Amino acid sequence: MGMSRAAISALKTFASSGNTPLSSTFSRHLHASAGSKKIVGVFYKANEYAAMNPNFVGCVEGALGIREWLESRGHQYIVTDDKEGPNCELEKHIPDLHVLISTPFHPAYVTAERIKKAKNLQLLLTAGIGSDHIDLNAAAAAGLTVAEITGSNTVSVAEDEMLRILVLVRNFLPGHHQAISGEWNVAAIAHRAYDLEGKTVGTVGAGRIGRLLLQRLKPFNCNLLYHDRLKMDPELEKQIGAKFEEDLDAMLPKCDIIVINMPLTDKTRGLFDKDRIAKCKKGVLIVNNARGAIMDTQAVADACNSGQIGGYGGDVWYPQPSPKDHPWRYMPNNAMTPHISGTTIDAQLRYAAGVKDMLERYFKGEDFPAQNYIVKEGKLASQYQ
């Protein structure tokens, strides 16, 4: 039987790439020919909330709004929220799926072991931003492509960070708790409530979200600092009014408020341990909507209890969903929520459209937008290196 045109063109493309070893990568590239694909999506379950908003597409029930489109083209689409342990629903489909769509809000942890079992797997798509729930080195070694919908929820996360900064600075939550519990004790709130104006806010990481946050903070007349691998374009830096801090440990003691805006990588895992937290100003407020594992869990809880951290707010935990006994649930002055900042309805519509666009390109054998690649041809994107 002759090879399909798509397979021949895939072979030509492969041969011309010239830098890929003829190993498992080869077989995985060959699979990218035409034909029916098995696509599995892992999302959180919405249950009774699913029917409350027709645009609620980011849940199991909404399935990114692409079921009809995929099935009408002859593809198999399985969606589940059951992702943990050897007998979970996801595990059953690992051996023969071609594409796995996962999300940071209910992460399917794609381990090296799972990658080894997934003989047909070619593409790992993150519906959202942040692909650290995937073992990226194992994915690269196996010749897989990992991609996400860059930019899909940057506004959503930056707005949420703005909210958390204000909630912590103004000591809002204890006041709200008084309102609903029938109390009235102004002093209990006022003794640690401040204005945001004039405070020094430092972002650790100034990529898309970090920059948006700085732009939104500018009208509050704060003193803005940022630490990043790369210095901003001078014109943009001037426009935002933020000062570059090359040395993270030199920046931390200057900050009244620290916001974490970096990806979780081998270098950033556990970056904020007991020693680094001790370098911060006593009573510092920390907002983290990036990834929970950037912080040492117990060190954060201890620092909140001792007063070294004056308030900690964020929506990212490790692991996710977080267990009932996770210490961050019980820290004083915390403004924690489940992982919600990047999954607003507006963000869901953007990352659902992005997933559909990428699948369309994948079926046609086309490249994705360059900024969406996390692993391509065995190489990790610069932010994960």
Side-chain angles (χ1 to χ4, degrees), residues 329-347:
R329 291 179 183 268
Y330 309 105
M331 309 184 292
N333 307 316
N334 86 73
M336 294 301 298
T337 58
H339 194 173
I340 53 169
S341 64
T343 187
T344 60
I345 297 297
D346 302 285

Side-chain angles (χ1 to χ4, degrees), residues 20-40:
T20 319
L22 292 180
S23 63
S24 62
T25 317
F26 184 55
S27 60
R28 301 221 177 187
H29 275 283
L30 274 184
H31 282 290
S33 56
S36 174
K37 301 290 179 197
K38 180 172 181 178
I39 295 152
V40 175

